[in-house]
Each structure stands twice: as structure tokens, then as C-alpha cells.
Amino acid sequence: MTYIMSLFLLGLVLGLVAVASNPSPYFAALGLVAVAGMGCGVLVGHGGPFLSLVLFLIYLGGMLVVFAYSAALAAEPFPEGLGSRPVVAYMVLYVLGVCLASSAVWGGWYESSWVPAEELGEFSMFRGDVGGVAMMYSSGGGMLVISAWVLLLTLFVVLELTRGLSRGTLRAV
């Protein structure tokens, strides 16, 4: 389990580096999807599979809106990929920054962070995220419905703003 969590955390950091260093919206959106997947994998490893699923679906819905908007406004015929020189230089710079920042706080903070929520599962009658699911539906259920409707409305607004050459609102930009 420790190796899988290390892989998820490494993928999370590398995805964040890919998002931060890439000027093209296509590859940055791909990096954000990878970051969302890796972050949800970390949540699953620590005992929150339902929260992970909800966050992944809502986050990918929001990313669909952002990607549609940025791809419509910044349509590049030749976008810079992850292998071009400036992007690789920024990636190396960001990875070195992450390594320097992690070496500054390297002291023993990670010893208890690898314990998942299901460590003593044979002594418990419930899973680790049951309390969170109940709280999400009782107190936060309305907010989940509102956020889903807001994302859907935002998607339709973005598609309406960028839909055609003569009818779109932002075509003067």
C-alpha cells in the first residue's frame, strides 16, 4: 500500500508540474485531469472512496467547462507540447523547487501519514468514510445539487458564448 500511495503522490506532483509549466490549454487540461485522478487515488488510499468519486466527478465537470472555454478562445494551430524546450526548462525548474521545499521540511512528518483509515478494519463494523457520506448527504446534499446545476449552467453559458463566427458574444476579442 505504501508503494501505491507513493506512486499516487508522485503522479500528483508531476501532474501539478505539468500544469504549472505548460502554456497550452490542451496539455494543461490533460495535466489537470491527471492531477484529479491522482488526488482521488490518494483519497481512496486514506479511506474515502465515496468522497473521492464525488470530487472526481464534480472536478471533471468543472474541467470540461474550463477546457471548452479555453480551447475556444485560445485556438492555437501549433500548441507547445510537453517536450518542447521552454516547457521542459520550466518543468525542471519546478521539480527542483519542489525538491528544495521538501528538503526544508524533511524531518519526520511522514511517519504517520501512511496509515490508511482501514488499518484496524477487522475491529470495526463500518468503513472509514461512512460518517463523511452521512454528513455530506445530511448537511451538504443541497450544496452538491446546487454545485452540479451551476456547473451545468456554466457549461451552457460557455458553449453559447463561443458557438459561432457571427453569433458568438466574445468573437470581437
Side-chain angles (χ1 to χ4, degrees):
M1 188 69 180
T2 302
Y3 293 121
I4 294 173
M5 291 297 289
S6 297
L7 183 68
F8 279 140
L9 289 172
L10 180 68
L12 183 77
V13 170
L14 290 179
L16 289 172
V17 165
V19 169
S21 64
N22 206 339
S24 174
Y26 302 112
F27 296 110
L30 176 68
L32 279 174
V33 169
V35 166
M38 294 297 168
C40 288
V42 170
L43 280 175
V44 167
H46 284 290
F50 181 75
L51 180 64
S52 170
L53 177 68
V54 168
L55 283 175
F56 192 68
L57 291 177
I58 289 175
Y59 191 75
L60 285 184
M63 277 308 304
L64 176 68
V65 169
V66 170
F67 178 69
Y69 186 70
S70 63
L73 287 180
E76 301 176 41
F78 303 107
E80 287 193 33
L82 290 175
S84 64
R85 274 188 201 269
V87 174
V88 169
Y90 280 126
M91 288 176 86
V92 168
L93 181 70
Y94 291 146
V95 167
L96 286 175
V98 166
C99 290
L100 286 174
S102 65
S103 67
V105 293
W106 191 255
W109 60 270
Y110 54 85
E111 293 171 358
S112 64
S113 64
W114 296 110
V115 179
E118 305 295 328
E119 184 70 27
L120 301 172
E122 60 269 5
F123 299 115
S124 177
M125 295 178 65
F126 301 109
R127 289 192 43 91
D129 64 338
V130 171
V133 172
M135 185 63 88
M136 187 180 297
Y137 277 126
S138 66
S139 299
M143 188 54 73
L144 282 174
V145 171
I146 289 171
S147 64
W149 277 107
V150 165
L151 284 174
L152 184 66
L153 177 68
T154 308
L155 176 65
F156 285 136
V157 166
V158 166
L159 290 176
E160 180 65 28
L161 286 175
T162 60
R163 79 176 154 132
L165 292 174
S166 63
R167 295 181 302 248
T169 306
L170 291 178
R171 287 299 165 184
V173 173

